[in-house]
Amino acid sequence: SVSGDLCQSMWRMVVAVAVLCAGGWGFVARGTGPRGALPHSAKKWSVEIDEMAERLESGKTAVVSGLCAGIAATPIEGLIHLNFLPQWEFNVDQISLMGAAFGLVYRYAVREDDNPQLKMGVVAAFALTRALSAVDVSPSCDFAPLTCGPPLGYLDFDMLFQLLSSLASSGLAFAAAAAAVDAACDRAWLSRFPSRPPP
């Protein structure tokens, strides 16, 4: 039956993921010392840093980034969910939390590099991930291969609207968060990674 084949396929995927995770853990463990500790010759960072200062700067960055992402997403999410405000509130709360996580990743990824492609890449990765996860498959879609009807076959009009609206909201929110972090760093309100050497 279709349901039996689907269960078998899912079970095989679970086993495959478990094997891959176990193999990855073994690879990591081979490079570590007793009880998984890093060997004495290994360095956690490529430069000398004050970890407490970095944690503080990361916390400040997360707060700024989360607030700016939530504020930027508020109007467009309000337009999308004008007829159901609880969904609007949930989405703004969600994107604020994701904005805080974005700020942490953005700070450690961009560092001191003046590389617009790197900055846009981090924004695009977060925006695309959130937008794709927000799409609900229409009840009229057929299974294997996924066929949902016009205009694209794979995506119908409702799914396409969900994707594009969520992509617009996410892109605006994370771009605003990135701009706020960059502006705060330029004004020395926040510090890029690494912020300062230990005294």
Side-chain angles (χ1 to χ4, degrees):
S1 67
V2 175
S3 60
D5 291 342
L6 184 60
C7 287
Q8 276 190 337
S9 298
M10 291 180 69
W11 176 246
R12 286 184 188 131
M13 277 201 308
V14 168
V15 171
V17 169
V19 169
L20 287 172
C21 290
W25 177 252
F27 176 78
V28 170
R30 280 198 296 274
T32 59
R35 295 187 180 181
L38 288 171
H40 294 297
S41 59
K43 288 182 67 176
K44 186 174 179 181
W45 304 101
S46 59
V47 294
E48 293 296 322
I49 66 165
D50 182 341
E51 289 202 3
M52 187 54 69
E54 294 303 339
R55 290 189 188 105
L56 179 61
E57 289 300 321
S58 293
K60 288 160 55 180
T61 302
V63 170
V64 169
S65 183
L67 285 172
C68 289
I71 291 168
T74 295
I76 192 166
E77 287 290 340
L79 289 173
I80 295 167
H81 301 290
L82 190 61
N83 295 328
F84 190 52
L85 292 181
Q87 186 67 54
W88 164 78
E89 182 180 357
F90 176 80
N91 283 9
V92 171
D93 292 344
Q94 176 203 64
I95 208 165
S96 297
L97 291 173
M98 292 184 72
F102 167 83
L104 295 175
V105 174
Y106 187 81
R107 179 173 183 261
Y108 283 97
V110 172
R111 301 192 177 201
E112 297 286 347
D113 300 330
D114 188 18
N115 184 339
Q117 287 81 19
L118 178 60
K119 295 178 179 182
M120 287 189 295
V122 179
V123 171
F126 270 77
L128 190 59
T129 301
R130 181 180 182 270
L132 288 171
S133 67
V135 176
D136 290 323
V137 176
S138 299
S140 59
C141 292
D142 290 328
F143 170 71
L146 183 66
T147 308
C148 297
L152 302 178
Y154 191 81
L155 300 173
D156 64 14
F157 283 105
D158 183 54
M159 293 169 66
L160 191 59
F161 173 75
Q162 291 177 58
L163 177 62
L164 293 178
S165 60
S166 183
L167 195 58
S169 173
S170 303
L172 178 65
F174 296 128
V181 170
D182 284 337
C185 288
D186 291 342
R187 290 166 175 75
W189 299 339
L190 297 174
S191 296
R192 301 186 189 277
F193 180 82
S195 56
R196 61 183 72 87

